[in-house]
Amino acid sequence: MAASAEDNENLVPVTVLTGFLGSGKTTLLNHILTATHGKKIAVIENEFGDVGIDDELLQKNSKVQADEEIIEMMNGCICCTVRQDLIVVLEKLAKRVKAGTLKLDGIIIETTGMADPAPVAQTFFVDDKVKSFARLDGIVTLVDAKHIEQHLDEEKPEGAENEAVEQVAFADRILLNKTDLVSEEDLLRVEKRLKSINSQAPVQRCTKAEVSPDWVLDIGAFDLKRVIEMDPEFLNTDGEH
């Protein structure tokens, strides 16, 4: 049964943040976790042991280390590290929200540099507990203006997907970061290339991943129909994607 508009209103909006290592995801998240934007955001790091959000930043800006996986920041945001299944952490947050001990304006899930965003996105359509608590609101892909072309051009073994192409194709919004490191001519060429892969997603230029939280949070941009046209197997979780 489709959720009514009113039900949808009550669900917590979720942004999935993708982009290769070095594209500026952690910088963007540090900015959201420390800026005064008045929103209560849970940031979920899905890094599985890569370099995560700066520990020192977490210590300096956190209130209480009550639960090692869920840390509350001074500005009211929450930082979670996923060491196990993403669904487990989402259910923990859901339990707190339902109990009234936590109010959330949104959730951001960071994926690893090499991750195809599809499996994370699927979680919001196939898991009933998650579906009753949160809705996928948008996939935002951060792109390093200087290195994206080499990532897109990388030859992959037969049958393997180019993750950079996948990340751009699935994006609802694209942040073209590190624009200060390349010329205007390069930027125009890169933007044209991004548009050739994904003509729908708006592209925002930025440096040091500085962008208003409103550009990445609660944007109402995810379109399941578009994704299924691109990837008919999207909701089929049995096989490998």
Side-chain angles (χ1 to χ4, degrees):
M1 195 180 91
S4 70
E6 192 182 339
D7 287 347
N8 237 346
E9 280 297 293
N10 297 325
L11 297 176
V12 178
V14 176
T15 301
V16 175
L17 184 63
T18 74
F20 265 57
L21 289 171
S23 61
K25 288 180 302 178
T26 304
T27 310
L28 175 63
L29 292 176
N30 286 348
H31 176 54
I32 285 169
L33 285 169
T34 53
T36 316
H37 44 63
K39 289 183 187 299
K40 188 146 182 141
I41 310 299
V43 171
I44 299 178
E45 267 198 292
N46 209 358
E47 281 291 9
F48 302 111
D50 286 358
V51 176
I53 286 180
D54 182 356
D55 283 338
E56 198 185 333
L57 174 125
L58 287 181
Q59 277 162 359
K60 274 204 309 235
N61 289 281
S62 63
K63 278 186 182 170
V64 277
Q65 312 267 352
D67 176 330
E68 61 175 62
E69 284 157 349
I70 299 178
I71 300 170
E72 188 169 350
M73 308 299 288
M74 296 291 193
N75 70 349
C77 287
I78 283 176
C79 185
C80 318
T81 310
V82 178
R83 291 276 173 259
Q84 75 288 63
D85 195 347
L86 173 64
I87 290 173
V88 176
V89 172
L90 286 167
E91 286 180 359
K92 272 189 183 180
L93 290 173
K95 206 181 266 178
R96 291 185 180 198
V97 168
K98 287 199 169 81
T101 56
L102 176 64
K103 184 192 174 302
L104 280 182
D105 295 312
I107 296 172
I108 299 180
I109 299 174
E110 178 190 17
T111 61
T112 46
M114 299 300 284
D116 166 1
V120 175
Q122 283 167 349
T123 306
F124 296 91
F125 297 96
V126 298
D127 185 272
D128 288 337
K129 275 189 189 163
V130 172
K131 270 197 312 203
S132 67
F133 155 67
R135 63 181 166 82
L136 182 57
D137 181 67
I139 296 175
V140 175
T141 298
L142 258 159
V143 167
D144 172 351
K146 192 168 182 170
H147 297 108
I148 184 63
E149 288 172 300
Q150 71 192 55
H151 290 316
L152 294 172
D153 291 337
E154 202 178 312
E155 288 290 322
K156 292 285 177 181
E158 201 174 325
E161 293 165 339
N162 178 322
E163 294 91 351
V165 173
E166 290 280 300
Q167 289 177 358
V168 170
F170 270 98
D172 295 306
R173 291 195 172 179
I174 297 169
L175 281 175
L176 184 54
N177 192 26
K178 305 194 177 182
T179 52
D180 50 333
L181 303 182
V182 293
S183 66
E184 179 64 21
E185 190 185 333
D186 290 334
L187 285 172
L188 291 170
R189 188 181 65 249
V190 167
E191 284 172 341
K192 193 174 172 189
R193 177 81 182 269
L194 295 172
K195 286 285 177 204
S196 73
I197 298 170
N198 182 339
S199 58
Q200 306 286 321
V203 177
Q204 167 93 8
R205 294 181 182 187
C206 59
T207 55
K208 299 188 175 64
E210 280 176 9
V211 64
S212 159
D214 294 341
W215 209 79
V216 293
L217 298 167
D218 204 2
I219 52 179
F222 185 78
D223 180 354
L224 185 60
K225 188 164 160 279
R226 177 177 87 86
V227 170
I228 287 175
E229 277 170 12
M230 230 176 11
D231 179 359
E233 292 295 298
F234 179 70
L235 291 178
N236 173 14
T237 52
D238 300 336
E240 214 351 86
H241 217 61

